[in-house]
Amino acid sequence: MSEYILRTSGLTKKYKHTTALNNVNLSIKKGAIYGFIGQNGAGKSTFIKLVAGLAFASEGSIELFGEIDPEKLIEARKRVGTIIEGPALFPHMTAKQNLEVHRVQRGIPGKECIEKTLALVGLQHTGKKKTRNFSLGMKQRLGLAMALLSEPEFLILDEPINGLDPMGVVEIRELLLKLNREKGTTILISSHILSELNLLATHYGIIHDGKLLEELTAKDLQEKCQHYLHIKVDKPHQGVAVLEEELGTKEFEVMPDGIIKLYKFVGEPGLVSTTLAANGAVIEQFMPMGEDLEEYFTKLIGGGNHE
Ligand SMILES: Nc1ncnc2c1ncn2[C@@H]1O[C@H](COP(=O)(O)OP(=O)(O)OP(=O)(O)O)[C@@H](O)[C@H]1O
């Protein structure tokens, strides 16, 4: 069997006036938690809809569980659980009744999965409460329960933590990690809450204006997020002269507020601070720093030519 759960090739979706997806080649390995990052309108939902079979591609192909043939893709999609643009719930029904309807619609055998899944998402005590009276967070969790009812091998979640309170976010994160670790569930999770993906994802795909700009592993990201020494001295021009003349480096940037970001000697802060001080610079701030996912993302989508 292919080591990939999902692979797309040249996937393109054109609407009348918009190319929502442009030649996307994306791949997700079995067991990955794939963080799908993009601003509003970048094309995340469109991509997810095509994979879930809710819309047709204009060009390109989708391979799911090694299947590419449209007939076989229908079967392969039965192994996938999805939440797209918030769950479609019957407001006059309880959580249990909603799950029962979903179970019958999807042809999932055995009622026992309902109680088990409700407990998994922490909704086992909602009893007779109708879902119209649920908080947004409870609705999100019920949506997740629907996606999990058939114990899917691949879970696709479009912005699953929107509207959750901080505790809810932690619970969903722990649940997803548990599913991934204990059941080996592969997860595609789109979000614009980058700090949240940072705690979950093993891989990232960054999409902008319908184009997949980059795919990278969490390890790659860590390495790419440049580390630097953040230095503030009383006279930045003097600090710069010391770095150039005494330490022989030009690997720094001077920010508009005078902060110097030094990309060299990151592992030798003592050498840098003593050299600066010995040459008359008054050090006001001095600390090692690293960019995070958010900064990396902003730099990538803002940084020039994406053609
Ligand atoms: N049915 C449609 N008809 C026309 N244009 C569409 C349609 N659906 C999406 N688009 C356009 O395609 C582009 C990508 O939209 P998409 O919803 O996939 O982005 P997204 O990354 O999921 O953003 P969001 O987080 O806002 O949902 C947008 O410019 C959007 O306006």
Side-chain angles (χ1 to χ4, degrees), residues 174-245:
E174 284 175 359
L175 173 63
L176 295 178
L177 285 170
K178 190 170 154 203
L179 286 166
N180 178 257
R181 282 190 197 132
E182 293 177 11
K183 302 199 174 183
T185 312
T186 305
I187 301 172
L188 165 60
I189 174 169
S190 85
S191 182
H192 63 276
I193 307 174
L194 303 183
S195 55
E196 186 51 35
L197 285 182
N198 224 353
L199 298 170
L200 266 179
T202 57
H203 295 72
Y204 296 95
I206 298 173
I207 186 166
H208 186 62
D209 279 344
K211 292 180 197 158
L212 190 67
L213 298 186
E214 187 166 4
E215 281 190 305
L216 69 174
T217 65
K219 194 163 162 274
D220 293 336
L221 180 70
Q222 216 173 17
E223 282 168 12
K224 284 196 170 196
C225 284
Q226 274 183 311
H227 290 267
Y228 60 90
L229 291 174
H230 163 114
I231 303 168
K232 184 161 190 245
V233 287
D234 58 339
K235 296 180 191 124
H237 64 277
Q238 185 192 18
V240 164
V242 175
L243 295 178
E244 286 184 352
E245 288 157 25

Side-chain angles (χ1 to χ4, degrees), residues 69-300:
D69 178 77
E71 285 297 311
K72 294 207 167 137
L73 269 180
I74 295 174
E75 280 305 303
R77 287 193 176 105
K78 292 187 181 158
R79 297 161 69 181
V80 182
T82 28
I83 308 187
I84 298 173
E85 288 177 350
L89 302 173
F90 293 109
H92 59 287
M93 290 187 186
T94 65
K96 209 167 157 177
Q97 288 165 338
N98 265 289
L99 284 184
E100 179 58 12
V101 171
H102 186 73
R103 185 184 76 80
V104 173
Q105 277 176 349
R106 292 285 309 261
I108 301 164
K111 282 191 171 202
E112 24 351 299
C113 61
I114 291 184
E115 293 292 345
K116 209 169 83 184
T117 314
L118 278 175
L120 198 61
V121 298
L123 288 177
Q124 67 274 41
H125 302 303
T126 52
K128 291 187 176 157
K129 193 170 186 148
K130 308 243 191 286
T131 55
R132 67 166 168 257
N133 299 322
F134 276 22
S135 68
L136 194 55
M138 289 165 81
K139 287 180 186 163
Q140 291 286 67
R141 278 194 257 170
L142 185 53
L144 189 56
M146 284 179 165
L148 291 173
L149 206 58
S150 60
E151 297 198 25
E153 292 157 72
F154 182 30
L155 195 55
I156 301 181
L157 308 170
D158 194 9
E159 303 268 359
I161 46 186
N162 261 0
L164 292 181
D165 59 25
M167 268 314 289
V169 170
V170 174
E171 280 171 26
I172 296 289
R173 180 171 74 227
E174 284 175 359
L175 173 63
L176 295 178
L177 285 170
K178 190 170 154 203
L179 286 166
N180 178 257
R181 282 190 197 132
E182 293 177 11
K183 302 199 174 183
T185 312
T186 305
I187 301 172
L188 165 60
I189 174 169
S190 85
S191 182
H192 63 276
I193 307 174
L194 303 183
S195 55
E196 186 51 35
L197 285 182
N198 224 353
L199 298 170
L200 266 179
T202 57
H203 295 72
Y204 296 95
I206 298 173
I207 186 166
H208 186 62
D209 279 344
K211 292 180 197 158
L212 190 67
L213 298 186
E214 187 166 4
E215 281 190 305
L216 69 174
T217 65
K219 194 163 162 274
D220 293 336
L221 180 70
Q222 216 173 17
E223 282 168 12
K224 284 196 170 196
C225 284
Q226 274 183 311
H227 290 267
Y228 60 90
L229 291 174
H230 163 114
I231 303 168
K232 184 161 190 245
V233 287
D234 58 339
K235 296 180 191 124
H237 64 277
Q238 185 192 18
V240 164
V242 175
L243 295 178
E244 286 184 352
E245 288 157 25
E246 302 298 322
L247 290 172
T249 183
K250 284 186 187 285
E251 287 183 43
F252 56 80
E253 267 180 289
V254 184
M255 309 313 285
D257 58 1
I259 301 285
I260 301 170
K261 288 186 175 182
L262 175 62
Y263 299 105
K264 212 163 172 216
F265 303 110
V266 180
E268 296 169 277
L271 170 70
V272 178
S273 59
T274 48
T275 308
L276 283 167
N279 287 279
V282 176
I283 299 175
E284 294 169 358
Q285 292 172 7
F286 191 92
M287 51 205 147
M289 306 279 271
E291 286 175 338
D292 61 8
L293 176 59
E294 190 121 26
E295 285 173 278
Y296 184 74
F297 172 70
T298 311
K299 219 156 123 177
L300 189 67

